[in-house]
Amino acid sequence: MSPTSSSKVKTIIVGAGVCGLLTAIQLERAGMDYIVIEKACTFSPLGSGLSLTPACNYILDQLGLLEEIQKLSHPCAKIDYLRDDLSKVGVMDAGDQKTRYGYNGILITRPTLYNILLSKVPKDKLHWGKRMVGFKQDENSVEIECEDNLEVSQESGEESAGNKTRVIYKGDILIGADGAYSSVRRNLYQSMKDEGITLPKEDLAPLRFDSNCVIGVTEELTEEEYPVMKEKNGDFYVIIGKEKAIQVYLFTFAENRLGWHICGRMDNPEEYDEKDFRFSDWKPAAADELCDMVRHYKCPYGGTVGDVMDRTPKERLSKVMLEDKYFSTWYHKRTVLMGDACHKHLPFGGQGANQAILDSVHLVNQLYGIPSNSLSDVEKSFQAYYGYRSPNAKEVFKTTSLVASILSARGIISDMIRFITLGYLPDFINNAGMDGMNTDRPYLCFLPPPPGKGTVKPKPQAAPVHYKGGN
């Protein structure tokens, strides 16, 4: 039986994405009171693949989710980098992850992982179609106001609301897990300014857009068409365009599908503004000139990249703007941010979901056993969470930005840098990088530790500020 926290604190989670749902699952296992608020009226199966590191699989195993996830995923340890004529640039090989870290990395479709997590959250805890439009917090509680039954017209892309009923939710803690365009963050920052608090200039600046991306997952394919499906392996390819700052990512998934990303730098990113894309995430869109630029590329699985695109149903195709930003302000009073709401990564390093999962585990550990709903106890939890996670997340953010620069830059010098870093990187440097990604292997303090250990020792876990028990 799961342990029950002595806390009677009620938590409101805004955002039913991977991060929000996993937080809900952990709070459920901890016996803590919570609800999840999501602006979408229903789940939309968009997005391509997620690469989950051994560090994240550590916690998924502890929660009893890993076995189900592994059945619907492939192990992933290697990325082959190719030129657009399929000549080799280099490779990034994680090596024997299970020996070193206790678990393999895995590749899974975002919709598949999402459905698994969604099935573990009681339906009465999820409140769909509730868009946060305002909030207030004080010494005693936090309250959010939501617009009910929000609908977005697929034809016009404009917002419309049925009766625009307003719903009020009241709790003790508010968690913003609502992504890069976080309503929680926007309202939090505004309330802090209203209180006369000076926020860092960087936190108030718009998100930085410099790339866009077309994403798709094919229909189910046969092993006769694509023999690679027989290998049951999630290692994937990145094709680097020769003349344009463009990359094509190709994956194989457990459902006998291929996933693909086409990422390209925008010529004039300064012309784009955050408000233009706040509702552009994960929406179906016709393939545009970005796709046309790479259709003729040879596909390492056979045929061309265009052949893979043509096997992608429209409902599994989406276009997104790629933005990145690290925020310094993660919490104030009873409100705290996690995941993309406080550190939005470019996808080139595959760290967005992984960092959000680590945020979630560390935050729940600091909330578990909280003795009261007093503001001082809540802030003590947030301070401990921020103190441990912020510097780690910032370092990963820097690394992800560096990887993006290495892959996107063009010219002779850039080609040489890629040739050296991807083709001739010594094993000890590569292992040090992999260790840096996987030594932060947190586990929930109130459940038995997961069995996977590994030869590379994890970093000491941040001690929970309230819970003093042990396993």
Side-chain angles (χ1 to χ4, degrees), residues 424-471:
Y424 291 93
L425 195 68
D427 287 344
F428 76 92
I429 295 180
N430 183 66
N431 289 339
M434 293 297 108
D435 292 350
M437 289 172 50
N438 290 290
T439 52
D440 183 15
R441 301 199 294 272
Y443 61 90
L444 293 167
C445 63
F446 51 86
L447 293 177
K453 299 298 182 183
T455 58
V456 177
K457 301 296 183 184
K459 291 192 298 188
Q461 178 161 286
V465 293
H466 302 296
Y467 179 63
K468 304 306 178 184
N471 292 308

mmCIF file of all heavy atoms in Angstrom, residues 424-471:
data_model
loop_
_atom_site.group_PDB
_atom_site.id
_atom_site.type_symbol
_atom_site.label_atom_id
_atom_site.label_comp_id
_atom_site.label_asym_id
_atom_site.label_seq_id
_atom_site.Cartn_x
_atom_site.Cartn_y
_atom_site.Cartn_z
ATOM 1 N N TYR A 424 35.565 12.063 -33.737
ATOM 2 C CA TYR A 424 36.814 11.720 -33.077
ATOM 3 C C TYR A 424 36.832 12.091 -31.599
ATOM 4 O O TYR A 424 37.896 12.275 -31.025
ATOM 5 C CB TYR A 424 37.987 12.410 -33.790
ATOM 6 C CG TYR A 424 38.241 11.847 -35.167
ATOM 7 C CD1 TYR A 424 37.657 12.428 -36.280
ATOM 8 C CD2 TYR A 424 39.026 10.714 -35.341
ATOM 9 C CE1 TYR A 424 37.863 11.903 -37.544
ATOM 10 C CE2 TYR A 424 39.241 10.180 -36.603
ATOM 11 C CZ TYR A 424 38.653 10.779 -37.706
ATOM 12 O OH TYR A 424 38.854 10.246 -38.950
ATOM 13 N N LEU A 425 35.664 12.182 -31.001
ATOM 14 C CA LEU A 425 35.610 12.508 -29.584
ATOM 15 C C LEU A 425 36.102 11.324 -28.760
ATOM 16 O O LEU A 425 35.581 10.215 -28.893
ATOM 17 C CB LEU A 425 34.181 12.872 -29.171
ATOM 18 C CG LEU A 425 34.009 13.579 -27.824
ATOM 19 C CD1 LEU A 425 34.615 14.979 -27.897
ATOM 20 C CD2 LEU A 425 32.533 13.659 -27.461
ATOM 21 N N PRO A 426 37.102 11.514 -27.910
ATOM 22 C CA PRO A 426 37.597 10.392 -27.091
ATOM 23 C C PRO A 426 36.494 9.817 -26.212
ATOM 24 O O PRO A 426 35.593 10.539 -25.750
ATOM 25 C CB PRO A 426 38.707 11.041 -26.248
ATOM 26 C CG PRO A 426 39.124 12.254 -27.011
ATOM 27 C CD PRO A 426 37.881 12.745 -27.697
ATOM 28 N N ASP A 427 36.592 8.515 -25.953
ATOM 29 C CA ASP A 427 35.568 7.837 -25.157
ATOM 30 C C ASP A 427 35.419 8.453 -23.762
ATOM 31 O O ASP A 427 34.303 8.562 -23.243
ATOM 32 C CB ASP A 427 35.895 6.348 -25.029
ATOM 33 C CG ASP A 427 35.654 5.594 -26.320
ATOM 34 O OD1 ASP A 427 34.964 6.127 -27.200
ATOM 35 O OD2 ASP A 427 36.165 4.458 -26.441
ATOM 36 N N PHE A 428 36.532 8.864 -23.172
ATOM 37 C CA PHE A 428 36.439 9.360 -21.801
ATOM 38 C C PHE A 428 35.665 10.686 -21.747
ATOM 39 O O PHE A 428 34.957 10.970 -20.777
ATOM 40 C CB PHE A 428 37.830 9.506 -21.178
ATOM 41 C CG PHE A 428 38.624 10.700 -21.627
ATOM 42 C CD1 PHE A 428 38.564 11.902 -20.936
ATOM 43 C CD2 PHE A 428 39.443 10.605 -22.749
ATOM 44 C CE1 PHE A 428 39.302 13.000 -21.360
ATOM 45 C CE2 PHE A 428 40.182 11.695 -23.169
ATOM 46 C CZ PHE A 428 40.109 12.900 -22.479
ATOM 47 N N ILE A 429 35.775 11.484 -22.812
ATOM 48 C CA ILE A 429 34.998 12.730 -22.854
ATOM 49 C C ILE A 429 33.532 12.420 -23.103
ATOM 50 O O ILE A 429 32.635 12.990 -22.477
ATOM 51 C CB ILE A 429 35.551 13.677 -23.937
ATOM 52 C CG1 ILE A 429 36.970 14.114 -23.579
ATOM 53 C CG2 ILE A 429 34.641 14.897 -24.089
ATOM 54 C CD1 ILE A 429 37.591 15.046 -24.607
ATOM 55 N N ASN A 430 33.270 11.477 -24.025
ATOM 56 C CA ASN A 430 31.894 11.078 -24.301
ATOM 57 C C ASN A 430 31.244 10.494 -23.050
ATOM 58 O O ASN A 430 30.094 10.829 -22.715
ATOM 59 C CB ASN A 430 31.871 10.051 -25.426
ATOM 60 C CG ASN A 430 30.463 9.646 -25.815
ATOM 61 O OD1 ASN A 430 29.697 10.447 -26.332
ATOM 62 N ND2 ASN A 430 30.118 8.385 -25.561
ATOM 63 N N ASN A 431 31.956 9.638 -22.337
ATOM 64 C CA ASN A 431 31.413 9.037 -21.118
ATOM 65 C C ASN A 431 31.151 10.083 -20.046
ATOM 66 O O ASN A 431 30.157 10.001 -19.305
ATOM 67 C CB ASN A 431 32.372 7.980 -20.579
ATOM 68 C CG ASN A 431 32.415 6.728 -21.437
ATOM 69 O OD1 ASN A 431 31.486 6.469 -22.207
ATOM 70 N ND2 ASN A 431 33.488 5.960 -21.328
ATOM 71 N N ALA A 432 32.040 11.083 -19.961
ATOM 72 C CA ALA A 432 31.839 12.145 -18.978
ATOM 73 C C ALA A 432 30.557 12.914 -19.275
ATOM 74 O O ALA A 432 29.810 13.275 -18.363
ATOM 75 C CB ALA A 432 33.041 13.092 -18.973
ATOM 76 N N GLY A 433 30.288 13.137 -20.572
ATOM 77 C CA GLY A 433 29.052 13.816 -20.945
ATOM 78 C C GLY A 433 27.822 12.995 -20.609
ATOM 79 O O GLY A 433 26.827 13.518 -20.095
ATOM 80 N N MET A 434 27.891 11.689 -20.898
ATOM 81 C CA MET A 434 26.774 10.805 -20.575
ATOM 82 C C MET A 434 26.564 10.721 -19.061
ATOM 83 O O MET A 434 25.427 10.721 -18.574
ATOM 84 C CB MET A 434 27.035 9.407 -21.137
ATOM 85 C CG MET A 434 27.035 9.299 -22.646
ATOM 86 S SD MET A 434 25.436 9.704 -23.396
ATOM 87 C CE MET A 434 25.837 11.286 -24.142
ATOM 88 N N ASP A 435 27.675 10.672 -18.314
ATOM 89 C CA ASP A 435 27.570 10.622 -16.855
ATOM 90 C C ASP A 435 26.901 11.879 -16.322
ATOM 91 O O ASP A 435 26.075 11.817 -15.396
ATOM 92 C CB ASP A 435 28.951 10.469 -16.222
ATOM 93 C CG ASP A 435 29.587 9.115 -16.496
ATOM 94 O OD1 ASP A 435 28.882 8.231 -17.020
ATOM 95 O OD2 ASP A 435 30.781 8.959 -16.192
ATOM 96 N N GLY A 436 27.256 13.025 -16.904
ATOM 97 C CA GLY A 436 26.651 14.277 -16.456
ATOM 98 C C GLY A 436 25.147 14.296 -16.633
ATOM 99 O O GLY A 436 24.417 14.883 -15.822
ATOM 100 N N MET A 437 24.660 13.619 -17.681
ATOM 101 C CA MET A 437 23.223 13.560 -17.933
ATOM 102 C C MET A 437 22.507 12.584 -17.012
ATOM 103 O O MET A 437 21.299 12.699 -16.799
ATOM 104 C CB MET A 437 22.953 13.154 -19.387
ATOM 105 C CG MET A 437 23.292 14.204 -20.418
ATOM 106 S SD MET A 437 23.162 13.551 -22.101
ATOM 107 C CE MET A 437 21.541 12.794 -22.085
ATOM 108 N N ASN A 438 23.240 11.614 -16.472
ATOM 109 C CA ASN A 438 22.570 10.508 -15.787
ATOM 110 C C ASN A 438 22.970 10.288 -14.332
ATOM 111 O O ASN A 438 22.518 9.329 -13.706
ATOM 112 C CB ASN A 438 22.820 9.210 -16.567
ATOM 113 C CG ASN A 438 22.098 9.180 -17.894
ATOM 114 O OD1 ASN A 438 20.873 9.081 -17.946
ATOM 115 N ND2 ASN A 438 22.856 9.297 -18.976
ATOM 116 N N THR A 439 23.806 11.166 -13.793
ATOM 117 C CA THR A 439 24.144 11.005 -12.371
ATOM 118 C C THR A 439 23.091 11.636 -11.458
ATOM 119 O O THR A 439 23.033 11.302 -10.274
ATOM 120 C CB THR A 439 25.518 11.611 -12.054
ATOM 121 O OG1 THR A 439 25.572 12.956 -12.545
ATOM 122 C CG2 THR A 439 26.620 10.789 -12.685
ATOM 123 N N ASP A 440 22.277 12.541 -11.986
ATOM 124 C CA ASP A 440 21.140 13.036 -11.212
ATOM 125 C C ASP A 440 19.994 12.051 -11.424
ATOM 126 O O ASP A 440 19.186 12.191 -12.333
ATOM 127 C CB ASP A 440 20.744 14.444 -11.663
ATOM 128 C CG ASP A 440 19.599 15.020 -10.822
ATOM 129 O OD1 ASP A 440 19.321 14.462 -9.737
ATOM 130 O OD2 ASP A 440 18.992 16.023 -11.243
ATOM 131 N N ARG A 441 19.957 11.024 -10.584
ATOM 132 C CA ARG A 441 18.942 9.966 -10.679
ATOM 133 C C ARG A 441 18.103 9.976 -9.404
ATOM 134 O O ARG A 441 18.287 9.137 -8.511
ATOM 135 C CB ARG A 441 19.596 8.598 -10.888
ATOM 136 C CG ARG A 441 20.453 8.487 -12.126
ATOM 137 C CD ARG A 441 20.707 7.059 -12.561
ATOM 138 N NE ARG A 441 21.507 6.267 -11.655
ATOM 139 C CZ ARG A 441 22.828 6.204 -11.666
ATOM 140 N NH1 ARG A 441 23.520 6.924 -12.541
ATOM 141 N NH2 ARG A 441 23.486 5.431 -10.822
ATOM 142 N N PRO A 442 17.187 10.924 -9.313
ATOM 143 C CA PRO A 442 16.400 11.026 -8.084
ATOM 144 C C PRO A 442 15.383 9.900 -7.967
ATOM 145 O O PRO A 442 14.977 9.300 -8.963
ATOM 146 C CB PRO A 442 15.696 12.376 -8.253
ATOM 147 C CG PRO A 442 15.527 12.519 -9.725
ATOM 148 C CD PRO A 442 16.776 11.928 -10.317
ATOM 149 N N TYR A 443 14.985 9.615 -6.745
ATOM 150 C CA TYR A 443 13.901 8.665 -6.521
ATOM 151 C C TYR A 443 13.017 9.230 -5.410
ATOM 152 O O TYR A 443 13.439 10.065 -4.619
ATOM 153 C CB TYR A 443 14.430 7.273 -6.153
ATOM 154 C CG TYR A 443 15.251 7.225 -4.891
ATOM 155 C CD1 TYR A 443 14.653 6.996 -3.651
ATOM 156 C CD2 TYR A 443 16.631 7.395 -4.932
ATOM 157 C CE1 TYR A 443 15.402 6.946 -2.487
ATOM 158 C CE2 TYR A 443 17.387 7.351 -3.778
ATOM 159 C CZ TYR A 443 16.768 7.129 -2.555
ATOM 160 O OH TYR A 443 17.509 7.089 -1.404
ATOM 161 N N LEU A 444 11.783 8.786 -5.393
ATOM 162 C CA LEU A 444 10.821 9.292 -4.416
ATOM 163 C C LEU A 444 11.165 8.774 -3.023
ATOM 164 O O LEU A 444 11.357 7.572 -2.822
ATOM 165 C CB LEU A 444 9.414 8.879 -4.807
ATOM 166 C CG LEU A 444 8.903 9.534 -6.102
ATOM 167 C CD1 LEU A 444 7.638 8.851 -6.596
ATOM 168 C CD2 LEU A 444 8.663 11.030 -5.895
ATOM 169 N N CYS A 445 11.226 9.676 -2.074
ATOM 170 C CA CYS A 445 11.673 9.335 -0.726
ATOM 171 C C CYS A 445 10.695 8.439 0.017
ATOM 172 O O CYS A 445 11.066 7.795 0.999
ATOM 173 C CB CYS A 445 11.915 10.624 0.069
ATOM 174 S SG CYS A 445 10.437 11.643 0.318
ATOM 175 N N PHE A 446 9.457 8.368 -0.426
ATOM 176 C CA PHE A 446 8.427 7.634 0.309
ATOM 177 C C PHE A 446 8.109 6.269 -0.304
ATOM 178 O O PHE A 446 7.204 5.576 0.157
ATOM 179 C CB PHE A 446 7.141 8.465 0.398
ATOM 180 C CG PHE A 446 6.657 8.999 -0.924
ATOM 181 C CD1 PHE A 446 5.847 8.237 -1.749
ATOM 182 C CD2 PHE A 446 7.013 10.278 -1.333
ATOM 183 C CE1 PHE A 446 5.409 8.726 -2.963
ATOM 184 C CE2 PHE A 446 6.573 10.784 -2.547
ATOM 185 C CZ PHE A 446 5.773 10.007 -3.355
ATOM 186 N N LEU A 447 8.854 5.871 -1.351
ATOM 187 C CA LEU A 447 8.672 4.555 -1.955
ATOM 188 C C LEU A 447 9.998 3.807 -1.921
ATOM 189 O O LEU A 447 11.061 4.424 -1.873
ATOM 190 C CB LEU A 447 8.207 4.693 -3.417
ATOM 191 C CG LEU A 447 6.821 5.275 -3.664
ATOM 192 C CD1 LEU A 447 6.575 5.401 -5.167
ATOM 193 C CD2 LEU A 447 5.735 4.424 -3.024
ATOM 194 N N PRO A 448 9.955 2.477 -1.953
ATOM 195 C CA PRO A 448 11.211 1.718 -2.017
ATOM 196 C C PRO A 448 12.011 2.127 -3.243
ATOM 197 O O PRO A 448 11.447 2.322 -4.317
ATOM 198 C CB PRO A 448 10.735 0.258 -2.119
ATOM 199 C CG PRO A 448 9.356 0.265 -1.527
ATOM 200 C CD PRO A 448 8.764 1.599 -1.882
ATOM 201 N N PRO A 449 13.324 2.270 -3.118
ATOM 202 C CA PRO A 449 14.149 2.660 -4.271
ATOM 203 C C PRO A 449 14.019 1.649 -5.401
ATOM 204 O O PRO A 449 13.799 0.462 -5.158
ATOM 205 C CB PRO A 449 15.574 2.678 -3.707
ATOM 206 C CG PRO A 449 15.396 2.828 -2.230
ATOM 207 C CD PRO A 449 14.127 2.115 -1.890
ATOM 208 N N PRO A 450 14.167 2.087 -6.642
ATOM 209 C CA PRO A 450 14.116 1.148 -7.771
ATOM 210 C C PRO A 450 15.325 0.221 -7.760
ATOM 211 O O PRO A 450 16.363 0.548 -7.171
ATOM 212 C CB PRO A 450 14.131 2.077 -8.994
ATOM 213 C CG PRO A 450 14.750 3.354 -8.511
ATOM 214 C CD PRO A 450 14.367 3.477 -7.074
ATOM 215 N N PRO A 451 15.212 -0.946 -8.396
ATOM 216 C CA PRO A 451 16.293 -1.945 -8.304
ATOM 217 C C PRO A 451 17.549 -1.585 -9.089
ATOM 218 O O PRO A 451 18.646 -1.977 -8.714
ATOM 219 C CB PRO A 451 15.645 -3.213 -8.866
ATOM 220 C CG PRO A 451 14.554 -2.716 -9.757
ATOM 221 C CD PRO A 451 14.038 -1.469 -9.111
ATOM 222 N N GLY A 452 17.403 -0.872 -10.219
ATOM 223 C CA GLY A 452 18.559 -0.586 -11.063
ATOM 224 C C GLY A 452 19.582 0.291 -10.369
ATOM 225 O O GLY A 452 19.240 1.344 -9.836
ATOM 226 N N LYS A 453 20.823 -0.131 -10.355
ATOM 227 C CA LYS A 453 21.873 0.612 -9.652
ATOM 228 C C LYS A 453 22.875 1.201 -10.637
ATOM 229 O O LYS A 453 22.960 2.393 -10.816
ATOM 230 C CB LYS A 453 22.576 -0.292 -8.648
ATOM 231 C CG LYS A 453 21.660 -0.853 -7.571
ATOM 232 C CD LYS A 453 21.033 0.238 -6.713
ATOM 233 C CE LYS A 453 20.152 -0.361 -5.614
ATOM 234 N NZ LYS A 453 19.473 0.680 -4.828
ATOM 235 N N GLY A 454 23.652 0.360 -11.306
ATOM 236 C CA GLY A 454 24.660 0.830 -12.231
ATOM 237 C C GLY A 454 25.994 1.060 -11.551
ATOM 238 O O GLY A 454 26.080 1.289 -10.336
ATOM 239 N N THR A 455 27.068 1.004 -12.363
ATOM 240 C CA THR A 455 28.409 1.177 -11.822
ATOM 241 C C THR A 455 28.750 2.645 -11.570
ATOM 242 O O THR A 455 29.641 2.941 -10.775
ATOM 243 C CB THR A 455 29.444 0.567 -12.782
ATOM 244 O OG1 THR A 455 29.310 1.196 -14.074
ATOM 245 C CG2 THR A 455 29.230 -0.931 -12.928
ATOM 246 N N VAL A 456 28.069 3.552 -12.274
ATOM 247 C CA VAL A 456 28.294 4.983 -12.060
ATOM 248 C C VAL A 456 27.363 5.452 -10.952
ATOM 249 O O VAL A 456 26.134 5.401 -11.090
ATOM 250 C CB VAL A 456 28.040 5.788 -13.351
ATOM 251 C CG1 VAL A 456 28.201 7.292 -13.089
ATOM 252 C CG2 VAL A 456 28.992 5.340 -14.452
ATOM 253 N N LYS A 457 27.919 5.884 -9.866
ATOM 254 C CA LYS A 457 27.128 6.266 -8.706
ATOM 255 C C LYS A 457 26.341 7.551 -8.974
ATOM 256 O O LYS A 457 26.868 8.497 -9.573
ATOM 257 C CB LYS A 457 28.029 6.471 -7.488
ATOM 258 C CG LYS A 457 28.843 5.248 -7.094
ATOM 259 C CD LYS A 457 27.954 4.101 -6.665
ATOM 260 C CE LYS A 457 28.774 2.911 -6.194
ATOM 261 N NZ LYS A 457 27.907 1.752 -5.851
ATOM 262 N N PRO A 458 25.094 7.603 -8.526
ATOM 263 C CA PRO A 458 24.323 8.849 -8.668
ATOM 264 C C PRO A 458 24.813 9.909 -7.696
ATOM 265 O O PRO A 458 25.437 9.603 -6.679
ATOM 266 C CB PRO A 458 22.899 8.417 -8.339
ATOM 267 C CG PRO A 458 23.053 7.237 -7.440
ATOM 268 C CD PRO A 458 24.298 6.533 -7.901
ATOM 269 N N LYS A 459 24.512 11.158 -8.036
ATOM 270 C CA LYS A 459 24.812 12.248 -7.117
ATOM 271 C C LYS A 459 23.928 12.122 -5.878
ATOM 272 O O LYS A 459 22.806 11.594 -5.955
ATOM 273 C CB LYS A 459 24.546 13.595 -7.796
ATOM 274 C CG LYS A 459 25.500 13.933 -8.910
ATOM 275 C CD LYS A 459 25.366 15.382 -9.352
ATOM 276 C CE LYS A 459 23.999 15.695 -9.899
ATOM 277 N NZ LYS A 459 23.944 17.051 -10.490
ATOM 278 N N PRO A 460 24.395 12.602 -4.738
ATOM 279 C CA PRO A 460 23.542 12.590 -3.547
ATOM 280 C C PRO A 460 22.236 13.341 -3.805
ATOM 281 O O PRO A 460 22.239 14.421 -4.379
ATOM 282 C CB PRO A 460 24.397 13.313 -2.500
ATOM 283 C CG PRO A 460 25.807 13.147 -2.966
ATOM 284 C CD PRO A 460 25.738 13.161 -4.462
ATOM 285 N N GLN A 461 21.155 12.738 -3.404
ATOM 286 C CA GLN A 461 19.847 13.351 -3.612
ATOM 287 C C GLN A 461 19.611 14.462 -2.607
ATOM 288 O O GLN A 461 20.031 14.373 -1.455
ATOM 289 C CB GLN A 461 18.761 12.283 -3.498
ATOM 290 C CG GLN A 461 17.335 12.829 -3.650
ATOM 291 C CD GLN A 461 16.367 11.729 -3.995
ATOM 292 O OE1 GLN A 461 16.351 11.239 -5.114
ATOM 293 N NE2 GLN A 461 15.550 11.322 -3.026
ATOM 294 N N ALA A 462 18.948 15.519 -3.053
ATOM 295 C CA ALA A 462 18.597 16.604 -2.139
ATOM 296 C C ALA A 462 17.700 16.064 -1.029
ATOM 297 O O ALA A 462 16.692 15.402 -1.288
ATOM 298 C CB ALA A 462 17.888 17.725 -2.903
ATOM 299 N N ALA A 463 18.065 16.339 0.191
ATOM 300 C CA ALA A 463 17.295 15.831 1.324
ATOM 301 C C ALA A 463 15.932 16.532 1.407
ATOM 302 O O ALA A 463 15.866 17.758 1.308
ATOM 303 C CB ALA A 463 18.068 16.071 2.609
ATOM 304 N N PRO A 464 14.847 15.777 1.562
ATOM 305 C CA PRO A 464 13.544 16.412 1.746
ATOM 306 C C PRO A 464 13.536 17.284 2.988
ATOM 307 O O PRO A 464 14.062 16.888 4.030
ATOM 308 C CB PRO A 464 12.589 15.222 1.902
ATOM 309 C CG PRO A 464 13.311 14.054 1.271
ATOM 310 C CD PRO A 464 14.754 14.305 1.537
ATOM 311 N N VAL A 465 12.942 18.457 2.900
ATOM 312 C CA VAL A 465 12.988 19.387 4.020
ATOM 313 C C VAL A 465 11.951 19.040 5.090
ATOM 314 O O VAL A 465 12.079 19.471 6.242
ATOM 315 C CB VAL A 465 12.775 20.846 3.558
ATOM 316 C CG1 VAL A 465 13.943 21.304 2.712
ATOM 317 C CG2 VAL A 465 11.465 20.998 2.795
ATOM 318 N N HIS A 466 10.932 18.270 4.737
ATOM 319 C CA HIS A 466 9.877 17.947 5.698
ATOM 320 C C HIS A 466 9.902 16.492 6.137
ATOM 321 O O HIS A 466 9.766 16.174 7.314
ATOM 322 C CB HIS A 466 8.503 18.294 5.133
ATOM 323 C CG HIS A 466 8.332 19.724 4.742
ATOM 324 N ND1 HIS A 466 8.384 20.748 5.659
ATOM 325 C CD2 HIS A 466 8.119 20.296 3.526
ATOM 326 C CE1 HIS A 466 8.189 21.909 5.030
ATOM 327 N NE2 HIS A 466 8.039 21.656 3.746
ATOM 328 N N TYR A 467 10.040 15.577 5.168
ATOM 329 C CA TYR A 467 9.970 14.148 5.469
ATOM 330 C C TYR A 467 11.322 13.659 6.001
ATOM 331 O O TYR A 467 12.349 13.811 5.344
ATOM 332 C CB TYR A 467 9.593 13.390 4.202
ATOM 333 C CG TYR A 467 9.522 11.897 4.371
ATOM 334 C CD1 TYR A 467 8.601 11.308 5.233
ATOM 335 C CD2 TYR A 467 10.373 11.063 3.650
ATOM 336 C CE1 TYR A 467 8.522 9.935 5.385
ATOM 337 C CE2 TYR A 467 10.301 9.685 3.781
ATOM 338 C CZ TYR A 467 9.367 9.126 4.660
ATOM 339 O OH TYR A 467 9.309 7.765 4.788
ATOM 340 N N LYS A 468 11.306 13.076 7.171
ATOM 341 C CA LYS A 468 12.536 12.606 7.808
ATOM 342 C C LYS A 468 12.584 11.094 7.929
ATOM 343 O O LYS A 468 13.439 10.547 8.606
ATOM 344 C CB LYS A 468 12.685 13.246 9.207
ATOM 345 C CG LYS A 468 12.664 14.764 9.209
ATOM 346 C CD LYS A 468 13.710 15.340 8.252
ATOM 347 C CE LYS A 468 13.642 16.866 8.239
ATOM 348 N NZ LYS A 468 14.573 17.446 7.256
ATOM 349 N N GLY A 469 11.658 10.418 7.268
ATOM 350 C CA GLY A 469 11.641 8.956 7.337
ATOM 351 C C GLY A 469 12.693 8.358 6.439
ATOM 352 O O GLY A 469 13.516 9.058 5.838
ATOM 353 N N GLY A 470 12.684 7.056 6.273
ATOM 354 C CA GLY A 470 13.675 6.386 5.430
ATOM 355 C C GLY A 470 13.111 5.084 4.909
ATOM 356 O O GLY A 470 12.082 4.602 5.374
ATOM 357 N N ASN A 471 13.798 4.524 3.926
ATOM 358 C CA ASN A 471 13.382 3.246 3.374
ATOM 359 C C ASN A 471 14.436 2.184 3.665
ATOM 360 O O ASN A 471 15.584 2.486 3.744
ATOM 361 C CB ASN A 471 13.230 3.371 1.824
ATOM 362 C CG ASN A 471 12.065 4.254 1.459
ATOM 363 O OD1 ASN A 471 10.953 4.058 1.928
ATOM 364 N ND2 ASN A 471 12.318 5.247 0.595
#
